[in-house]
PDB file of all heavy atoms in Angstrom:
ATOM      1  N   LYS A   1     103.319  96.664  97.447  1.00  0.00           N
ATOM      2  CA  LYS A   1     103.270  98.099  97.145  1.00  0.00           C
ATOM      3  C   LYS A   1     103.093  98.899  98.423  1.00  0.00           C
ATOM      4  O   LYS A   1     102.594  98.402  99.431  1.00  0.00           O
ATOM      5  CB  LYS A   1     102.173  98.439  96.168  1.00  0.00           C
ATOM      6  CG  LYS A   1     102.314  97.804  94.777  1.00  0.00           C
ATOM      7  CD  LYS A   1     101.161  98.204  93.868  1.00  0.00           C
ATOM      8  CE  LYS A   1     101.319  97.569  92.481  1.00  0.00           C
ATOM      9  NZ  LYS A   1     100.182  97.929  91.615  1.00  0.00           N
ATOM     10  N   VAL A   2     103.522 100.136  98.404  1.00  0.00           N
ATOM     11  CA  VAL A   2     103.391 100.988  99.573  1.00  0.00           C
ATOM     12  C   VAL A   2     102.914 102.371  99.128  1.00  0.00           C
ATOM     13  O   VAL A   2     103.328 102.890  98.084  1.00  0.00           O
ATOM     14  CB  VAL A   2     104.715 101.082 100.364  1.00  0.00           C
ATOM     15  CG1 VAL A   2     105.796 101.754  99.537  1.00  0.00           C
ATOM     16  CG2 VAL A   2     104.525 101.771 101.681  1.00  0.00           C
ATOM     17  N   ASP A   3     102.074 102.963  99.957  1.00  0.00           N
ATOM     18  CA  ASP A   3     101.589 104.331  99.724  1.00  0.00           C
ATOM     19  C   ASP A   3     102.445 105.293 100.522  1.00  0.00           C
ATOM     20  O   ASP A   3     102.663 105.102 101.714  1.00  0.00           O
ATOM     21  CB  ASP A   3     100.117 104.438 100.155  1.00  0.00           C
ATOM     22  CG  ASP A   3      99.509 105.775  99.839  1.00  0.00           C
ATOM     23  OD1 ASP A   3      99.707 106.740 100.613  1.00  0.00           O
ATOM     24  OD2 ASP A   3      98.826 105.857  98.797  1.00  0.00           O
ATOM     25  N   VAL A   4     103.019 106.312  99.849  1.00  0.00           N
ATOM     26  CA  VAL A   4     103.940 107.207 100.489  1.00  0.00           C
ATOM     27  C   VAL A   4     103.329 108.635 100.460  1.00  0.00           C
ATOM     28  O   VAL A   4     102.869 109.111  99.424  1.00  0.00           O
ATOM     29  CB  VAL A   4     105.322 107.236  99.751  1.00  0.00           C
ATOM     30  CG1 VAL A   4     106.294 108.152 100.463  1.00  0.00           C
ATOM     31  CG2 VAL A   4     105.858 105.806  99.630  1.00  0.00           C
ATOM     32  N   GLN A   5     103.392 109.282 101.626  1.00  0.00           N
ATOM     33  CA  GLN A   5     102.933 110.672 101.698  1.00  0.00           C
ATOM     34  C   GLN A   5     104.050 111.520 102.346  1.00  0.00           C
ATOM     35  O   GLN A   5     104.557 111.190 103.427  1.00  0.00           O
ATOM     36  CB  GLN A   5     101.635 110.774 102.554  1.00  0.00           C
ATOM     37  CG  GLN A   5     101.097 112.209 102.586  1.00  0.00           C
ATOM     38  CD  GLN A   5      99.749 112.289 103.295  1.00  0.00           C
ATOM     39  OE1 GLN A   5      99.308 111.337 103.929  1.00  0.00           O
ATOM     40  NE2 GLN A   5      99.082 113.411 103.149  1.00  0.00           N
ATOM     41  N   LEU A   6     104.406 112.564 101.677  1.00  0.00           N
ATOM     42  CA  LEU A   6     105.454 113.481 102.162  1.00  0.00           C
ATOM     43  C   LEU A   6     104.791 114.617 102.922  1.00  0.00           C
ATOM     44  O   LEU A   6     103.921 115.323 102.405  1.00  0.00           O
ATOM     45  CB  LEU A   6     106.275 114.017 101.006  1.00  0.00           C
ATOM     46  CG  LEU A   6     106.875 112.966 100.042  1.00  0.00           C
ATOM     47  CD1 LEU A   6     107.522 113.650  98.852  1.00  0.00           C
ATOM     48  CD2 LEU A   6     107.857 112.085 100.764  1.00  0.00           C
ATOM     49  N   THR A   7     105.203 114.824 104.148  1.00  0.00           N
ATOM     50  CA  THR A   7     104.673 115.918 104.964  1.00  0.00           C
ATOM     51  C   THR A   7     105.842 116.720 105.527  1.00  0.00           C
ATOM     52  O   THR A   7     107.008 116.293 105.433  1.00  0.00           O
ATOM     53  CB  THR A   7     103.798 115.419 106.138  1.00  0.00           C
ATOM     54  OG1 THR A   7     104.684 114.769 107.126  1.00  0.00           O
ATOM     55  CG2 THR A   7     102.783 114.374 105.641  1.00  0.00           C
ATOM     56  N   HIS A   8     105.543 117.859 106.119  1.00  0.00           N
ATOM     57  CA  HIS A   8     106.603 118.685 106.684  1.00  0.00           C
ATOM     58  C   HIS A   8     107.123 118.098 107.992  1.00  0.00           C
ATOM     59  O   HIS A   8     108.234 118.471 108.426  1.00  0.00           O
ATOM     60  CB  HIS A   8     106.045 120.106 106.942  1.00  0.00           C
ATOM     61  CG  HIS A   8     105.761 120.873 105.669  1.00  0.00           C
ATOM     62  ND1 HIS A   8     106.748 121.483 104.918  1.00  0.00           N
ATOM     63  CD2 HIS A   8     104.593 121.113 105.024  1.00  0.00           C
ATOM     64  CE1 HIS A   8     106.200 122.082 103.889  1.00  0.00           C
ATOM     65  NE2 HIS A   8     104.907 121.876 103.905  1.00  0.00           N
ATOM     66  N   ASP A   9     106.388 117.152 108.576  1.00  0.00           N
ATOM     67  CA  ASP A   9     106.860 116.555 109.832  1.00  0.00           C
ATOM     68  C   ASP A   9     107.636 115.244 109.602  1.00  0.00           C
ATOM     69  O   ASP A   9     108.338 114.784 110.502  1.00  0.00           O
ATOM     70  CB  ASP A   9     105.646 116.266 110.763  1.00  0.00           C
ATOM     71  CG  ASP A   9     104.960 117.564 111.165  1.00  0.00           C
ATOM     72  OD1 ASP A   9     105.667 118.588 111.355  1.00  0.00           O
ATOM     73  OD2 ASP A   9     103.722 117.527 111.296  1.00  0.00           O
ATOM     74  N   GLY A  10     107.431 114.657 108.444  1.00  0.00           N
ATOM     75  CA  GLY A  10     108.107 113.394 108.179  1.00  0.00           C
ATOM     76  C   GLY A  10     107.444 112.656 106.982  1.00  0.00           C
ATOM     77  O   GLY A  10     106.606 113.231 106.272  1.00  0.00           O
ATOM     78  N   ILE A  11     107.836 111.407 106.768  1.00  0.00           N
ATOM     79  CA  ILE A  11     107.339 110.622 105.671  1.00  0.00           C
ATOM     80  C   ILE A  11     106.418 109.529 106.229  1.00  0.00           C
ATOM     81  O   ILE A  11     106.789 108.798 107.143  1.00  0.00           O
ATOM     82  CB  ILE A  11     108.471 109.970 104.863  1.00  0.00           C
ATOM     83  CG1 ILE A  11     109.598 110.971 104.571  1.00  0.00           C
ATOM     84  CG2 ILE A  11     107.949 109.393 103.563  1.00  0.00           C
ATOM     85  CD1 ILE A  11     110.783 110.387 103.894  1.00  0.00           C
ATOM     86  N   ARG A  12     105.265 109.407 105.636  1.00  0.00           N
ATOM     87  CA  ARG A  12     104.272 108.395 106.064  1.00  0.00           C
ATOM     88  C   ARG A  12     104.200 107.274 105.036  1.00  0.00           C
ATOM     89  O   ARG A  12     103.877 107.515 103.873  1.00  0.00           O
ATOM     90  CB  ARG A  12     102.876 109.015 106.251  1.00  0.00           C
ATOM     91  CG  ARG A  12     101.825 108.053 106.769  1.00  0.00           C
ATOM     92  CD  ARG A  12     100.492 108.783 106.885  1.00  0.00           C
ATOM     93  NE  ARG A  12      99.445 107.937 107.484  1.00  0.00           N
ATOM     94  CZ  ARG A  12      98.655 107.143 106.790  1.00  0.00           C
ATOM     95  NH1 ARG A  12      98.753 107.076 105.486  1.00  0.00           N
ATOM     96  NH2 ARG A  12      97.724 106.417 107.416  1.00  0.00           N
ATOM     97  N   PHE A  13     104.515 106.046 105.432  1.00  0.00           N
ATOM     98  CA  PHE A  13     104.427 104.875 104.588  1.00  0.00           C
ATOM     99  C   PHE A  13     103.247 104.010 105.046  1.00  0.00           C
ATOM    100  O   PHE A  13     103.165 103.682 106.243  1.00  0.00           O
ATOM    101  CB  PHE A  13     105.718 104.033 104.652  1.00  0.00           C
ATOM    102  CG  PHE A  13     106.928 104.728 104.041  1.00  0.00           C
ATOM    103  CD1 PHE A  13     107.674 105.606 104.817  1.00  0.00           C
ATOM    104  CD2 PHE A  13     107.309 104.491 102.736  1.00  0.00           C
ATOM    105  CE1 PHE A  13     108.822 106.221 104.260  1.00  0.00           C
ATOM    106  CE2 PHE A  13     108.409 105.092 102.161  1.00  0.00           C
ATOM    107  CZ  PHE A  13     109.161 105.973 102.953  1.00  0.00           C
ATOM    108  N   ALA A  14     102.387 103.645 104.144  1.00  0.00           N
ATOM    109  CA  ALA A  14     101.193 102.847 104.464  1.00  0.00           C
ATOM    110  C   ALA A  14     101.073 101.677 103.544  1.00  0.00           C
ATOM    111  O   ALA A  14     101.104 101.835 102.297  1.00  0.00           O
ATOM    112  CB  ALA A  14      99.921 103.681 104.419  1.00  0.00           C
ATOM    113  N   ALA A  15     101.026 100.458 104.117  1.00  0.00           N
ATOM    114  CA  ALA A  15     100.826  99.214 103.343  1.00  0.00           C
ATOM    115  C   ALA A  15      99.457  98.662 103.622  1.00  0.00           C
ATOM    116  O   ALA A  15      98.982  98.717 104.769  1.00  0.00           O
ATOM    117  CB  ALA A  15     101.919  98.208 103.685  1.00  0.00           C
ATOM    118  N   ASP A  16      98.862  98.069 102.602  1.00  0.00           N
ATOM    119  CA  ASP A  16      97.472  97.578 102.728  1.00  0.00           C
ATOM    120  C   ASP A  16      97.369  96.166 102.174  1.00  0.00           C
ATOM    121  O   ASP A  16      98.028  95.815 101.176  1.00  0.00           O
ATOM    122  CB  ASP A  16      96.528  98.513 101.959  1.00  0.00           C
ATOM    123  CG  ASP A  16      95.081  98.070 102.016  1.00  0.00           C
ATOM    124  OD1 ASP A  16      94.669  97.247 101.140  1.00  0.00           O
ATOM    125  OD2 ASP A  16      94.398  98.510 102.920  1.00  0.00           O
ATOM    126  N   HIS A  17      96.567  95.334 102.863  1.00  0.00           N
ATOM    127  CA  HIS A  17      96.336  93.956 102.398  1.00  0.00           C
ATOM    128  C   HIS A  17      94.821  93.746 102.283  1.00  0.00           C
ATOM    129  O   HIS A  17      94.116  93.553 103.287  1.00  0.00           O
ATOM    130  CB  HIS A  17      96.918  92.934 103.379  1.00  0.00           C
ATOM    131  CG  HIS A  17      96.696  91.541 102.983  1.00  0.00           C
ATOM    132  ND1 HIS A  17      97.401  90.883 101.993  1.00  0.00           N
ATOM    133  CD2 HIS A  17      95.780  90.604 103.461  1.00  0.00           C
ATOM    134  CE1 HIS A  17      96.965  89.674 101.852  1.00  0.00           C
ATOM    135  NE2 HIS A  17      95.992  89.458 102.747  1.00  0.00           N
ATOM    136  N   SER A  18      94.327  93.835 101.030  1.00  0.00           N
ATOM    137  CA  SER A  18      92.936  93.487 100.704  1.00  0.00           C
ATOM    138  C   SER A  18      91.921  94.303 101.559  1.00  0.00           C
ATOM    139  O   SER A  18      90.812  93.809 101.799  1.00  0.00           O
ATOM    140  CB  SER A  18      92.697  92.009 100.831  1.00  0.00           C
ATOM    141  OG  SER A  18      93.575  91.262 100.025  1.00  0.00           O
ATOM    142  N   ARG A  19      92.298  95.445 102.034  1.00  0.00           N
ATOM    143  CA  ARG A  19      91.424  96.280 102.831  1.00  0.00           C
ATOM    144  C   ARG A  19      90.971  95.674 104.150  1.00  0.00           C
ATOM    145  O   ARG A  19      89.989  96.104 104.736  1.00  0.00           O
ATOM    146  CB  ARG A  19      90.168  96.690 102.026  1.00  0.00           C
ATOM    147  CG  ARG A  19      90.470  97.458 100.751  1.00  0.00           C
ATOM    148  CD  ARG A  19      91.222  98.745 101.017  1.00  0.00           C
ATOM    149  NE  ARG A  19      90.452  99.676 101.808  1.00  0.00           N
ATOM    150  CZ  ARG A  19      90.987 100.660 102.531  1.00  0.00           C
ATOM    151  NH1 ARG A  19      92.290 100.789 102.597  1.00  0.00           N
ATOM    152  NH2 ARG A  19      90.186 101.465 103.210  1.00  0.00           N
ATOM    153  N   VAL A  20      91.692  94.656 104.605  1.00  0.00           N
ATOM    154  CA  VAL A  20      91.389  94.018 105.893  1.00  0.00           C
ATOM    155  C   VAL A  20      92.542  94.228 106.882  1.00  0.00           C
ATOM    156  O   VAL A  20      92.399  93.956 108.092  1.00  0.00           O
ATOM    157  CB  VAL A  20      91.030  92.531 105.789  1.00  0.00           C
ATOM    158  CG1 VAL A  20      89.774  92.365 104.975  1.00  0.00           C
ATOM    159  CG2 VAL A  20      92.191  91.748 105.163  1.00  0.00           C
ATOM    160  N   MET A  21      93.717  94.675 106.390  1.00  0.00           N
ATOM    161  CA  MET A  21      94.860  94.915 107.244  1.00  0.00           C
ATOM    162  C   MET A  21      95.637  96.092 106.688  1.00  0.00           C
ATOM    163  O   MET A  21      95.793  96.236 105.470  1.00  0.00           O
ATOM    164  CB  MET A  21      95.747  93.702 107.313  1.00  0.00           C
ATOM    165  CG  MET A  21      97.039  93.925 108.108  1.00  0.00           C
ATOM    166  SD  MET A  21      98.148  92.504 108.074  1.00  0.00           S
ATOM    167  CE  MET A  21      99.531  93.142 109.035  1.00  0.00           C
ATOM    168  N   GLN A  22      96.102  96.960 107.554  1.00  0.00           N
ATOM    169  CA  GLN A  22      96.883  98.089 107.172  1.00  0.00           C
ATOM    170  C   GLN A  22      97.993  98.351 108.166  1.00  0.00           C
ATOM    171  O   GLN A  22      97.802  98.245 109.375  1.00  0.00           O
ATOM    172  CB  GLN A  22      95.999  99.365 107.079  1.00  0.00           C
ATOM    173  CG  GLN A  22      96.723 100.626 106.591  1.00  0.00           C
ATOM    174  CD  GLN A  22      95.836 101.842 106.593  1.00  0.00           C
ATOM    175  OE1 GLN A  22      95.151 102.132 107.563  1.00  0.00           O
ATOM    176  NE2 GLN A  22      95.830 102.569 105.477  1.00  0.00           N
ATOM    177  N   GLY A  23      99.178  98.623 107.617  1.00  0.00           N
ATOM    178  CA  GLY A  23     100.328  98.934 108.441  1.00  0.00           C
ATOM    179  C   GLY A  23     100.890 100.305 108.071  1.00  0.00           C
ATOM    180  O   GLY A  23     101.070 100.579 106.862  1.00  0.00           O
ATOM    181  N   VAL A  24     101.145 101.137 109.072  1.00  0.00           N
ATOM    182  CA  VAL A  24     101.638 102.481 108.796  1.00  0.00           C
ATOM    183  C   VAL A  24     102.930 102.706 109.593  1.00  0.00           C
ATOM    184  O   VAL A  24     102.980 102.449 110.804  1.00  0.00           O
ATOM    185  CB  VAL A  24     100.603 103.573 109.220  1.00  0.00           C
ATOM    186  CG1 VAL A  24     101.180 104.951 109.012  1.00  0.00           C
ATOM    187  CG2 VAL A  24      99.335 103.422 108.401  1.00  0.00           C
ATOM    188  N   ALA A  25     103.959 103.153 108.888  1.00  0.00           N
ATOM    189  CA  ALA A  25     105.223 103.530 109.533  1.00  0.00           C
ATOM    190  C   ALA A  25     105.485 104.999 109.232  1.00  0.00           C
ATOM    191  O   ALA A  25     105.489 105.412 108.079  1.00  0.00           O
ATOM    192  CB  ALA A  25     106.387 102.679 108.991  1.00  0.00           C
ATOM    193  N   PHE A  26     105.673 105.752 110.295  1.00  0.00           N
ATOM    194  CA  PHE A  26     105.930 107.198 110.158  1.00  0.00           C
ATOM    195  C   PHE A  26     107.398 107.502 110.484  1.00  0.00           C
ATOM    196  O   PHE A  26     107.838 107.241 111.588  1.00  0.00           O
ATOM    197  CB  PHE A  26     105.002 108.018 111.028  1.00  0.00           C
ATOM    198  CG  PHE A  26     105.141 109.539 110.786  1.00  0.00           C
ATOM    199  CD1 PHE A  26     104.553 110.116 109.690  1.00  0.00           C
ATOM    200  CD2 PHE A  26     105.868 110.314 111.673  1.00  0.00           C
ATOM    201  CE1 PHE A  26     104.661 111.493 109.490  1.00  0.00           C
ATOM    202  CE2 PHE A  26     105.980 111.667 111.467  1.00  0.00           C
ATOM    203  CZ  PHE A  26     105.394 112.263 110.379  1.00  0.00           C
TER     204      PHE A  26
END
């Protein structure tokens, strides 16, 4: 699953693994 946030500057995608690892692509 991925968390998506829409902003005026771009789209932020955030992936999480058991709260010990997080990856963010903007």
Side-chain angles (χ1 to χ4, degrees):
K1 296 181 180 180
V2 65
D3 185 277
V4 184
Q5 184 174 12
L6 307 175
T7 71
H8 291 281
D9 297 324
I11 313 175
R12 183 181 185 271
F13 292 85
D16 180 272
H17 178 77
S18 303
R19 300 301 297 157
V20 296
M21 175 185 179
Q22 183 183 48
V24 176
F26 185 77

